[in-house]
């Protein structure tokens, strides 16, 4: 087989020892590319942050669904990996992750059966969340039938007078109903603590109010002996408010009776849009975050080629909705490389902008006379890594010379 037939594209790869180089023409474009140095910086930064607050980290694996990246996160100090579905839990467990938090309600016969099957492994620590007596009953029946036991976190939602809404109990009566339901399944279901997701709220004061309620409820459940795990778990935090969660729960964590588990998932790759803005806010409001040197760095880019320049004010790039997220902002041209001219990529002109995407094409607004040619390679920063990773089965990790050092598989 010729080299051409085995070069990387979505779904086809070969041993990363082949040492492809992005600048040498070894890789088919478009390609999803992670910068190894920036990714390691982000891992180290988050480790310093959680250590400063005395909390634990279980990053949300749904962002990347890449077990190789899960391992990097565990090696950098993560306590476990968070997932959202039974399938994601299966992937994590199959690749050696031994602590898995399912931050979602598991319902449906096959979904519950998959969780029960995982519980047969005594080395696996698996935790689910619940927000209704009905959901508790479904899990209890399945665990009793299989003679296995499952740790649960009761999920809190913002109170009825708050604007955020998703899953979770919203008042004291609903909470009591879940607690009573768990108690009906002794030996098979155990309350391990409390879970919440503050990302449905947009106002900092409301976020803090919600977290303080979670802290109060956790303390009350400990005091009344309702939590079976020592230490109890209190888990929250997406990628936008994890600093506020850490601030509001640090005292509880340091007291020793509660293990606070944060769940940001996007930090390993970060981005240059949605989460760059969120991180800027964190650096402004948090007293600890600015002390760790450079902030989180965007490590994921999509590399694509200029396919056509049909008029002086617009180029067409061979990259589209099948390749890059567009729900939280269009990709932004970051660097330009022309093999016949450049030794390394140079900054793309600041006025270039993607104005629209089709399935396989991006429209790039340029200015007449700009130095751009068919065949040029442009690397694009992205916004919202979750919905970029899920478009790729292989992601390249490259070093400072743009040489591939690893091929990461995803399992969406």
């Amino acid at each position: 087989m010729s080299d051409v037939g085995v070069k990387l594209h979505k779904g086809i790869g070969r041993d990363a020892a082949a040492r492809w180089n992005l600048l040498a023409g070894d890789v088919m474009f478009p390609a999803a590319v992670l910068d190894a140095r920036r990714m390691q910086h982000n891992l180290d930064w988050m480790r310093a942050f959680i250590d400063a607050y005395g909390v634990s980290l279980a990053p949300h694996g749904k962002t990347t669904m890449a077990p190789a990246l899960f391992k990097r996160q565990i090696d950098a100090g993560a306590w476990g990996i968070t997932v959202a579905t039974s399938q994601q839990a299966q992937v994590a467990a199959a690749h050696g992750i031994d602590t898995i938090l399912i931050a979602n309600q598991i319902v449906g016969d096959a979904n519950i059966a998959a969780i029960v099957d995982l519980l047969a492994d005594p080395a696996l620590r698996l935790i689910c969340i619940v927000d209704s007596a009905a959901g508790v009953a479904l899990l209890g029946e399945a665990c009793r039938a299989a003679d296995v036991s499952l740790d649960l976190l009761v999920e809190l939602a913002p109170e009825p007078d708050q604007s955020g809404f998703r899953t979770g109990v919203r008042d004291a009566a609903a909470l009591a109903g879940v607690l009573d339901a768990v108690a009906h399944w002794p030996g098979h279901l155990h309350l391990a603590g409390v879970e919440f997701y503050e990302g449905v709220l947009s106002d900092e004061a409301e976020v803090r109010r919600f977290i303080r309620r979670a802290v109060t409820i956790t303390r009350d459940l400990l005091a009344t002996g309702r939590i079976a795990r020592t230490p109890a778990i209190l888990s929250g935090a997406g990628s936008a408010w994890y600093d506020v969660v850490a601030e509001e729960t640090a005292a509880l964590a340091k007291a020793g009776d509660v293990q606070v588990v944060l769940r940001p998932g996007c930090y390993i790759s970060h981005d240059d849009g949605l989460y760059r803005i969120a991180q800027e806010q964190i650096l402004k409001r948090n007293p600890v975050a600015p002390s760790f040197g450079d902030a989180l760095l965007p490590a994921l880019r999509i590399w694509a080629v200029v396919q056509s320049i049909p008029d002086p004010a617009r180029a067409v790039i061979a990259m589209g909705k099948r390749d890059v997220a567009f729900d939280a902002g269009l990709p932004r041209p970051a660097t330009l490389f022309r093999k016949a001219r450049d030794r390394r990529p140079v900054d793309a002109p600041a006025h270039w902008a993607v104005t629209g995407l089709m399935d396989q094409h991006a429209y790039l607004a340029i200015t007449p006379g700009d130095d751009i040619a068919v065949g040029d390679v442009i690397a694009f920063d992205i916004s919202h890594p979750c919905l970029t990773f899920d478009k790729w089965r292989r992601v390249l990790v490259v070093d400072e010379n743009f040489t591939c050092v690893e091929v990461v598989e995803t399992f969406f």
Side-chain angles (χ1 to χ4, degrees):
M1 182 182 291
S2 71
D3 282 350
V4 173
V6 293
K7 289 175 184 175
L8 182 81
H9 65 83
K10 285 192 278 188
I12 297 178
R14 64 179 181 187
D15 189 345
R19 311 292 286 181
W20 306 299
N21 186 278
L22 295 182
L23 309 186
D26 296 335
V27 175
M28 290 184 181
F29 296 128
V33 179
L34 281 165
D35 183 308
R37 180 189 62 83
R38 289 186 168 204
M39 189 163 51
Q40 188 60 52
H41 165 84
N42 294 344
L43 290 165
D44 294 342
W45 193 98
M46 188 58 73
R47 173 64 181 269
F49 182 88
I50 63 170
D51 286 350
Y53 280 100
V55 298
S56 299
L57 180 66
H60 211 315
K62 71 174 176 59
T63 297
T64 68
M65 281 308 297
L69 299 184
F70 296 172
K71 184 178 185 303
R72 286 178 181 244
Q73 291 170 307
I74 295 292
D75 290 346
W79 168 75
I81 293 294
T82 297
V83 297
T85 68
S86 298
Q87 179 266 340
Q88 293 172 6
Q90 288 176 321
V91 169
H95 289 86
I97 302 301
D98 61 9
T99 300
I100 301 171
L101 169 58
I102 305 179
N104 205 2
Q105 279 71 28
I106 298 300
V107 295
D109 291 347
N111 299 328
I112 294 173
I115 297 307
V116 169
D117 287 346
L118 290 176
L119 292 172
D121 180 359
L124 179 65
R125 178 166 42 185
L126 184 67
I127 304 167
C128 293
I129 67 173
V130 289
D131 72 347
S132 69
V136 170
L138 292 173
L139 293 172
E141 290 168 0
C143 287
R144 183 176 64 184
D147 195 23
V148 296
S149 63
L150 175 63
D151 283 346
L152 301 175
L153 305 180
V154 59
E155 181 176 29
L156 305 182
E159 294 177 288
D161 66 331
Q162 293 184 292
S163 59
F165 181 80
R166 204 165 72 172
T167 52
V169 299
R170 294 173 72 84
D171 56 34
L175 174 61
V178 171
L179 298 176
D180 290 343
V182 173
H184 282 299
W185 303 95
H188 298 294
L189 299 181
H190 309 286
L191 185 66
V194 174
E195 185 272 349
F196 62 92
Y197 175 61
E198 74 294 337
V200 294
L201 299 169
S202 58
D203 177 76
E204 182 180 343
E206 289 294 281
V207 170
R208 290 186 184 275
R209 173 186 160 194
F210 182 28
I211 300 167
R212 288 168 186 168
R213 173 170 159 251
V215 168
T216 298
I217 289 173
T218 302
R219 285 187 168 133
D220 290 345
L221 294 177
L222 275 171
T224 56
R226 301 302 293 265
I227 295 179
R229 185 185 190 274
T230 303
I233 291 175
L234 175 60
S235 179
S239 294
W241 296 102
Y242 63 83
D243 65 310
V244 175
V245 177
E247 285 181 22
E248 295 289 346
T249 61
L252 192 62
K254 290 176 181 177
D257 291 334
V258 176
Q259 179 182 8
V260 173
V261 180
L262 307 188
R263 307 192 307 269
C266 295
Y267 72 91
I268 188 169
S269 68
H270 198 47
D271 73 6
D272 194 51
L274 181 70
Y275 292 112
R276 173 185 57 79
I277 295 169
Q279 186 71 5
E280 288 171 353
Q281 295 302 311
I282 289 170
L283 293 174
K284 288 179 181 178
R285 69 179 174 242
N286 183 266
V288 172
S291 66
F292 304 137
D294 290 338
L296 296 175
L297 301 173
L300 176 65
R301 284 175 170 168
I302 303 302
W303 288 53
V305 292
V306 179
Q307 187 178 62
S308 177
I309 307 175
D311 63 66
R314 184 166 66 174
V316 178
I317 313 301
M319 171 193 74
K321 293 179 180 178
R322 295 179 181 268
D323 308 302
V324 66
F326 52 92
D327 64 307
L330 293 171
R332 184 184 68 82
T335 65
L336 171 70
F337 176 74
R338 186 174 300 163
K339 187 175 179 181
R341 179 192 66 190
D342 302 324
R343 295 186 61 187
R344 294 180 65 85
V346 298
D347 290 343
H351 63 274
W352 286 4
V354 173
T355 59
L357 294 173
M358 297 187 72
D359 285 356
Q360 310 284 180
H361 300 93
Y363 299 128
L364 182 68
I366 59 176
T367 297
D370 281 349
D371 186 10
I372 185 172
V374 170
D376 285 354
V377 179
I378 301 175
F380 291 85
D381 281 320
I382 60 97
S383 180
H384 200 183
C386 299
L387 296 189
T388 294
F389 274 107
D390 71 357
K391 294 170 172 51
W392 297 88
R393 299 300 162 262
R394 306 285 196 278
V395 180
L396 292 178
V397 180
V398 300
D399 64 14
E400 65 274 11
N401 295 315
F402 303 99
T403 297
C404 177
V405 296
E406 184 179 0
V407 179
V408 168
E409 285 191 277
T410 66
F411 291 81
F412 287 96

